[in-house]
Amino acid sequence: MVDRIMKVNAYTTFDLLDGEVEGHGFEEEALAVLNVTAPRKNPDHVELQLEMDNTDLDAVKPHADSVTLSAAQARELAAELEEYAEKVETAQSE
């Protein structure tokens, strides 16, 4: 990805995922970077960050989105991901 906003390195959670941007009157696909992090000193939250490859997008300007989660919210999200991962694995094994 050219002109990244997020720092992407060996510690980035996922890079080059398949992403999709959807809005009123448009839908585009692009590579994406998804990262989960927390402050190094005195962590008080978990941050979920997403950036789409802006070279593949025409409808949105280059940007990165982030969500700040409490520890409890991060665990709730992790549980939801586990639940849906199980559904996908079960469906694929049938």
Side-chain angles (χ1 to χ4, degrees):
M1 287 173 45
V2 177
D3 193 28
R4 285 188 170 142
I5 295 169
M6 290 173 42
K7 290 182 182 177
V8 178
N9 57 37
Y11 301 105
T12 304
T13 308
F14 295 106
D15 58 339
L16 302 181
L17 297 172
D18 293 328
E20 185 178 307
V21 177
E22 184 178 346
H24 295 293
F26 71 90
E27 187 174 313
E28 295 183 290
E29 294 180 358
L31 294 174
V33 173
L34 180 65
N35 192 43
V36 179
T37 188
R40 288 181 184 213
K41 294 183 179 181
N42 303 317
D44 61 347
H45 67 277
V46 175
E47 187 171 18
L48 183 62
Q49 304 166 312
L50 176 68
E51 182 177 359
M52 306 295 285
D53 183 350
N54 60 47
T55 62
D56 290 338
L57 301 175
D58 295 320
V60 289
K61 293 183 179 182
H63 73 286
D65 296 306
S66 64
V67 176
T68 300
L69 304 169
S70 67
Q73 290 168 325
R75 285 189 185 93
E76 184 177 342
L77 176 59
E80 289 283 318
L81 289 169
E82 286 286 340
E83 178 183 332
Y84 283 98
E86 182 68 32
K87 287 181 181 183
V88 170
E89 288 175 341
T90 300
Q92 289 180 348
S93 66
E94 293 177 349

